[in-house]
Amino acid sequence: MDDRGGISRIRFVPENGGDILPFAAGAHLDLYLPDLDMWRQYSLCSDPAETGFYEIGVLKDPNSRGGSLKVHETAVEGAVFTVEGPRNHFPLDETAQTTVLLGGGIGITPMIAMAKRLHAIGKDFTLHYCTRSADVTAFRDALESCGFADKVVFHFDDQDPAQRLDLTRDLPAPSAATHLYVCGPQGFMDWVIETAEAAGHASANVHREYFSADVDLSGDSFEVECRESGVTLTVGSDDTIAKALARAGIKVEVKCEEGVCGTCLTDVLEGEIDHRDQFLTEEEREDGDVMCVCCSRAKGPKLVLDI
Ligand code: FES
């Protein structure tokens, strides 16, 4: 299904019929792209109450590593895909009194599933959707005609500045029962998170989903000791731990390879971690006993992994 803004809406049904596995708002599907031998993660935008299909929105992004272009190329009617999940790293706190959903561009997809769920359970929420222009706003028709259209606020970069998202005006006062959810390009997310936290919203109430990270993988070389395997290897300055492990025949599952999905989480026994991922919480980083080996590195000369 084509939509605006270079975003295709793609529906998946089980190959052999029947119901899909249930999912909660905020969940994503892992999609395997055999030509690229790559897994990509896509947030589900369909209604969590839907039992017959999953729907995702995929942006044709020329700056991606080819995954989204390949999905656009291959997702024709009847095509068969291998998927895993759904998995949910972006769960909705349904006990909140007030929820504000903030989607920038393709970051709207998990927000739509959340809005559908909040509407279904009768919760107070607002969905802010920021795009470059009305003409390239995917899902616009659906959002303008849905049952919660009065809770959707569009903000277009190319229109009157007064209608653009103004976080001072548009965010509610902080409270323990107010939760914010943000997904979109890195700059949009940084702006929302920093502004919300500076306004007094607790970090734990500002929920975030990074769909792509412009992560710097390089750094000084260091040693990694794999205690269980009895192997010690060197990770070069342009190398990653996951790649070095794979070359040494030590299997760690990776999917996104950019620190957003958490698939490659590995226990760390010794050494100081240079976290480069967007997946772990601040508390988990401070604990220092787990890391994403697809992108994170060592701060010192050596790490010891429980692998
Ligand atoms: S593979 Fe996704 S975080 Fe490492």
Side-chain angles (χ1 to χ4, degrees), residues 253-264 279 292-294:
E253 193 183 355
V254 291
K255 281 212 163 81
C256 72
E257 298 175 80
E258 54 188 14
V260 295
C261 75
T263 303
C264 66
F279 180 79
C292 291
V293 292
C294 69

Side-chain angles (χ1 to χ4, degrees), residues 148-216:
F148 52 86
D150 59 328
K151 299 206 161 92
V152 182
V153 187
F154 293 94
H155 306 277
F156 305 120
D157 289 351
D158 65 351
Q159 289 189 20
D160 180 2
Q163 55 79 57
R164 292 197 200 137
L165 182 63
D166 176 344
L167 294 172
T168 311
R169 175 194 66 198
D170 296 329
L171 290 185
S175 84
T178 297
H179 287 251
L180 315 181
Y181 295 79
V182 57
C183 182
Q186 184 87 40
F188 174 77
M189 296 195 56
D190 291 347
W191 171 58
V192 172
I193 293 164
E194 277 165 27
T195 311
E197 291 183 359
H201 290 275
S203 180
N205 285 21
V206 184
H207 309 268
R208 52 209 83 179
E209 170 91 324
Y210 292 90
F211 55 77
S212 172
D214 194 9
V215 56
D216 176 10

